[in-house]
Amino acid sequence: MESPDDDFRILSGQLIPHGQLAVVRLPFALSDEQLRATLARSEPQLLPGEQQLAERLAIPRRVSFVGGRLALRSALTVVAPDTHTTPVLKTGRGAPQLPAGVLGSVSHKRTLAVGMAARHIARVNTIGVDVEEIPDETDLARPDLAPKILTAAERHALAPLAARDALAYREAVRLRFALKEAVYKTIDPHVQRYVRFQEVEVMPESDGHTDVRLTLPEFEGRRIVVRAWWTRLHGHLIATAEASPLE
């Protein structure tokens, strides 16, 4: 079992195929009092406006928000250092609101927050990131998510693994969930609606590259290219995606 950690800590920062990634350890102290003390030390690192957003949130969500903003700020420092005084607020859809010419996305789980940032270039105009915990033996007692989140083709591809290794199968399903979440964030600015799991199909490779197929009516007769990628990092699955401009 992991021991409590009272501080937000940057665990790593690295260049990945879709931008600059930063990973922040979230505190998981045992009481709200400890978490409030941690937030009091860490929230001054946020910019005005960001602090006001954080103060409106209940403690657990507040911890996630602060960690996400610190991770995103760390990534932004690398790709867009000129934005260091610009607060990252929220769009109407809840995504980070970035300055013109800069892209960003955040995600978090119980003990980890990730932020990804990139410069807006002609080839890419939206990005997304998601983080999920790698399943362990306790997950085997939980319902299988595959029927809910996978397409028929995805389930067929995983059938041999399901018969051979139950835990590896659960990780493969979780990976596809993470990739779809990253894709949803990437295409949300284009569709502005909830996207069903069956509308996105992902076929990840062992090297991280992932084939993405979309069946959204919004893109019929219009071209959009979505690229996705994944890795294991700090005991988690991290998935990222980027989308090319629509024609």
Side-chain angles (χ1 to χ4, degrees):
M1 178 180 292
E2 296 166 296
S3 60
D5 189 330
D6 291 335
D7 292 307
F8 294 88
R9 291 189 293 115
I10 296 178
L11 297 181
S12 60
Q14 64 187 84
L15 183 66
I16 60 173
H18 302 146
Q20 179 71 24
L21 182 74
V23 181
V24 168
R25 179 75 168 198
L26 298 182
F28 50 105
L30 301 179
S31 69
D32 282 356
E33 182 179 354
Q34 289 173 303
L35 288 175
R36 288 191 181 94
T38 299
L39 288 166
R41 293 192 299 270
S42 301
E43 284 183 340
Q45 299 177 56
L46 300 182
L47 296 176
E50 296 173 344
Q51 292 184 39
Q52 293 176 345
L53 286 177
E55 290 167 357
R56 299 172 190 165
L57 302 172
I59 291 296
R61 181 68 185 89
R62 190 167 168 179
V63 169
S64 299
F65 177 85
V66 172
R69 284 301 183 273
L70 293 177
L72 184 56
R73 181 69 55 196
S74 179
L76 284 169
T77 298
V78 177
V79 303
D82 53 308
T83 67
H84 72 281
T85 60
T86 304
V88 179
L89 305 181
K90 292 196 300 184
T91 68
R93 301 281 296 173
Q97 189 172 54
L98 280 301
V102 183
L103 307 174
S105 182
V106 297
S107 182
H108 56 80
K109 295 305 287 184
R110 183 177 62 94
T111 64
L112 212 67
V114 297
M116 181 172 65
R119 280 287 187 183
H120 182 247
I121 58 177
R123 186 177 64 86
V124 177
N125 68 357
T126 50
I127 61 176
V129 65
D130 187 66
V131 58
E132 301 293 336
E133 295 178 355
I134 294 177
D136 58 24
E137 295 289 340
T138 63
D139 287 275
L140 297 179
R142 298 170 183 165
D144 182 7
L145 292 177
K148 179 180 179 181
I149 68 173
L150 301 187
T151 65
E154 289 168 332
R155 293 198 302 273
H156 177 75
L158 290 183
L161 182 60
R164 184 176 69 250
D165 188 330
L167 192 56
Y169 165 73
R170 289 299 179 104
E171 180 176 338
V173 173
R174 187 77 58 85
L175 170 60
R176 283 151 181 80
F177 177 86
L179 285 162
K180 291 191 181 196
E181 288 291 322
V183 170
Y184 297 155
K185 292 180 181 181
T186 303
I187 64 177
D188 184 78
H190 303 292
V191 299
Q192 297 281 300
R193 68 166 174 87
Y194 171 76
V195 176
R196 294 181 295 108
F197 283 108
Q198 303 299 317
E199 293 180 294
V200 176
E201 191 169 82
V202 293
M203 295 293 178
E205 302 291 341
S206 59
D207 64 358
H209 291 88
T210 301
D211 182 41
V212 179
R213 303 166 191 170
L214 306 176
T215 57
L216 285 78
E218 288 88 347
F219 300 143
E220 291 181 4
R222 304 161 72 190
R223 183 173 178 271
I224 183 171
V225 177
V226 177
R227 306 168 187 85
W229 179 83
W230 71 276
T231 190
R232 295 182 186 89
L233 198 61
H234 304 296
H236 289 69
L237 298 166
I238 296 178
T240 66
E242 64 180 27
S244 66
L246 293 172
E247 292 180 347

